Amino acid sequence: MASEQPQKIAILSVYDKTGLLDLAKGLVKQNIRLLASGGTSKLIREAGFPVEDVSAITKAPEMLAGRVKTLHPAVHAGILARDLASDEKDLAEQNIDKVDYVICNLYPFKDTVAKINVTIPEAVEEIDIGGVTLIRAAAKNHTRVTILSDPNDYHDFLQELEKGEVPEKSKQLYALKAFTHTADYDSAISDFFRKKYAGDGLQQLPLRYGTNPHQKPASAYMTDRPLPFKALNGSPGYVNLLDALNAWNLVKELSEALDFPAAASFKHVSPAGAAIGVPLSDVEKKVYMVEDIEGLESSGLAQAYARARGADRMSSFGDVIALSHEVDVATAKIIGKEVSDGVVAPGFQPEALEILSKKKGGKYLVLQMDKAYTPPAQESRTIFGVNLTQHRNDATITPHNTFNSIIVPKESAPLPESALRDMTVATIALKFTQSNSVCYALNGQVIGLGAGQQSRIHCTRLAGDKADNWWMRFHSRALNVKWRKGAKRADKSNAIDLLCSGIVQDSGPEREDWEKNFEEAPQPFTQEERKAWLSKMGEVAVSSDAFFPFTDNVYRVARSGVKYIAAPVGSQNDQACFETAEKLGITFVEQHVRLFHH
């Protein structure tokens, strides 16, 4: 006669006792032996259901005020044992029975630490040891043991038992939930102690607030290593770090791709300008308001930032700056003159740091970045409580590997180095620009960038209008304006922007306020004057983060002196775009990687 199957065993140890009695009733109905700890055992017994204390199998009492209840070989060997002859032998020798079901949830650590002014001893008391061990052991052995960590699963579990056995798929899902439960618990504990013990900013850096002042608390942290930057001066905000980390990525890649010092001016998680240290002409120095900077000629980094800041001074107002090399005095002197929120770089010369540390009444943000830091391949973010994860955008953009597929003209000569340089600048800038995005570049710098537009043509127009504005600033009328004595740099930038954009009002208060910036107000440009001057702009490179869906984009870039287009292909209108580019004398180069950034 076949031997009788041993009675199945369930161990119960729960803080949240929701649904516990209904569960106990269902388990007893299935002739399952109940072993429970502490308050769990007491509640089941008082309800009249048969239950034994865990000590019935451990032969050891609960101790240390209940902190040790289930931590015993009789419990964990019973849970971890597999259906192997060697395991059966070990259990028999120690007179230990297998455990088939574990029902456990944890002390309310999150609720405790959410209280105002909670102390470390109070938090420590809510760190569950035995419960986590029960859950982890049962989840590890989930091919044999069923682990329930969520009271919401009791009903379905009991229905499965009534049908005979818990399905393998259910065991897997219960185990996944259990692993998630302990991971979330451990994360809450580490977060609490990181805030308490890593207050030196090495791994946890408190921020003033999140995206907006009412979004508190906010912090920056890493779980496995110190932060890859340190604040040498000032205190970063949430948006500051979004800008700084994106901008640092940009200049690091740009400098590595072109072997020049690189700079970026970032605002609202997109570059307002980016450039490499191509030498500045005397006219460019004047346009970018740096003709009085001592040491400019010998500093490629200073020239890079002059270009990055000077391309779109309106957008760069209040920027976060990223610089690829150690910041020298010349670069610091330019920054010192501008309205800016902060700078990130791999190092700072002592005198340069002294200059920067005086800005904003001593509160100017100066971040030193670990140049050797490489982020992990996988990145994640949380939106509306939903975790998203993806492989980091580690696409490499280089002049000769990225832009070697010329589509039109079919018999085109090799691209000049200046075009390869400018397409590289534009494309790397797009990699860190909110999509949709289109970028115009010339002379190793961004001259117009359209970001975050839902329509590709609106990006192209926005970027093209900025490029046109940039070029109008080189007109003799813009170069030779007579400023009112004491006019501030920001006022000059606003006034010249209105002039070069062609939107100076004919009369009224706005016109009067504009004229106050000058000793002698310049005459606004006529449409004919603008058209004539813009026709002189040429050799511009444009890059798009995705394909051009319609020919209107090609026609628009042609109006701003574009000679080279780099873009992914894949639109049903590709051929029309190629033909239009060729007709307009534009070289169209396939850029093989879509570069959306969100």
Side-chain angles (χ1 to χ4, degrees), residues 479-495:
L479 286 171
N480 296 316
V481 295
K482 297 177 181 178
W483 296 108
R484 172 183 57 81
K485 186 177 180 180
K488 297 179 180 179
R489 289 171 77 87
D491 293 331
K492 290 180 180 180
S493 297
N494 292 345

Side-chain angles (χ1 to χ4, degrees), residues 33 76 89 102 326 345 385 405 417 463 493 498 507 563 597:
R33 180 186 180 191
H76 290 286
K89 180 175 179 293
V102 172
E326 181 183 65
S405 180
E417 290 296 318
S493 297
L498 287 174
S507 60
K563 176 69 175 177
H597 181 68

Side-chain angles (χ1 to χ4, degrees), residues 224-510:
D224 58 348
R225 56 154 291 158
L227 291 164
F229 59 83
K230 56 184 177 181
L232 303 183
N233 196 74
S235 176
Y238 188 92
V239 176
N240 292 151
L241 286 183
L242 288 177
D243 283 342
L245 295 175
N246 275 285
W248 168 253
N249 262 312
L250 194 163
V251 298
K252 184 174 185 290
E253 291 193 19
L254 196 53
S255 181
E256 290 172 351
L258 295 172
D259 199 25
F260 270 83
S265 170
F266 244 71
K267 282 286 295 294
H268 298 294
V269 206
S270 284
I276 57 172
V278 175
L280 294 162
S281 68
D282 289 341
V283 175
E284 286 174 322
K285 292 176 188 174
K286 189 171 184 179
V287 169
Y288 301 149
M289 300 184 182
V290 292
E291 65 268 38
D292 60 340
I293 298 296
E294 186 179 350
L296 181 65
E297 292 286 349
S298 59
S299 171
L301 190 67
Q303 294 180 74
Y305 181 60
R307 289 184 179 280
R309 174 79 187 206
D312 183 359
R313 293 188 58 82
M314 296 291 287
S315 296
S316 287
F317 184 84
D319 62 354
V320 168
I321 302 158
L323 301 162
S324 63
H325 288 56
E326 181 183 65
V327 179
D328 54 26
V329 173
T331 307
K333 285 182 176 178
I334 299 175
I335 298 171
K337 290 176 175 288
E338 306 290 6
V339 176
S340 172
D341 280 352
V343 58
V344 58
F348 299 83
Q349 293 179 0
E351 189 179 344
L353 180 58
E354 184 179 352
I355 292 169
L356 296 171
S357 297
K358 292 176 181 177
K359 282 180 67 66
K360 297 183 72 172
K363 295 181 179 179
Y364 187 70
L365 177 62
V366 180
L367 294 177
Q368 183 173 10
M369 193 73 190
D370 178 0
K371 196 170 184 177
Y373 170 69
T374 300
Q378 203 71 9
E379 62 185 12
S380 61
R381 65 194 297 186
T382 302
I383 304 294
F384 200 57
V386 177
N387 296 314
L388 302 177
T389 183
Q390 65 175 356
H391 187 87
R392 184 173 62 89
N393 185 359
D394 55 8
T396 301
I397 311 298
T398 60
H400 295 283
N401 292 331
T402 305
F403 310 105
N404 56 11
S405 180
I406 298 174
I407 297 174
V408 293
K410 292 182 173 57
E411 304 301 322
S412 177
L415 294 170
E417 290 296 318
S418 59
L420 291 170
R421 172 200 65 194
D422 293 341
M423 284 191 289
T424 302
V425 169
T427 305
I428 291 178
L430 291 178
K431 187 178 174 185
F432 301 99
T433 301
Q434 293 293 294
S435 297
N436 286 324
S437 57
V438 172
C439 184
Y440 296 60
L442 184 65
N443 298 336
Q445 70 177 82
V446 170
I447 62 169
L449 195 149
Q453 302 302 304
Q454 290 76 17
S455 165
R456 178 75 43 193
I457 184 57
H458 288 121
C459 291
T460 306
R461 290 171 183 165
L462 176 59
D465 290 349
K466 289 184 176 184
D468 293 349
N469 189 330
W470 168 83
W471 178 242
M472 290 301 300
R473 285 157 57 199
F474 288 83
H475 192 285
S476 58
R477 189 178 306 168
L479 286 171
N480 296 316
V481 295
K482 297 177 181 178
W483 296 108
R484 172 183 57 81
K485 186 177 180 180
K488 297 179 180 179
R489 289 171 77 87
D491 293 331
K492 290 180 180 180
S493 297
N494 292 345
I496 210 74
D497 180 75
L498 287 174
L499 175 66
C500 292
S501 298
I503 55 175
V504 176
Q505 297 298 302
D506 292 334
S507 60
E510 187 177 352

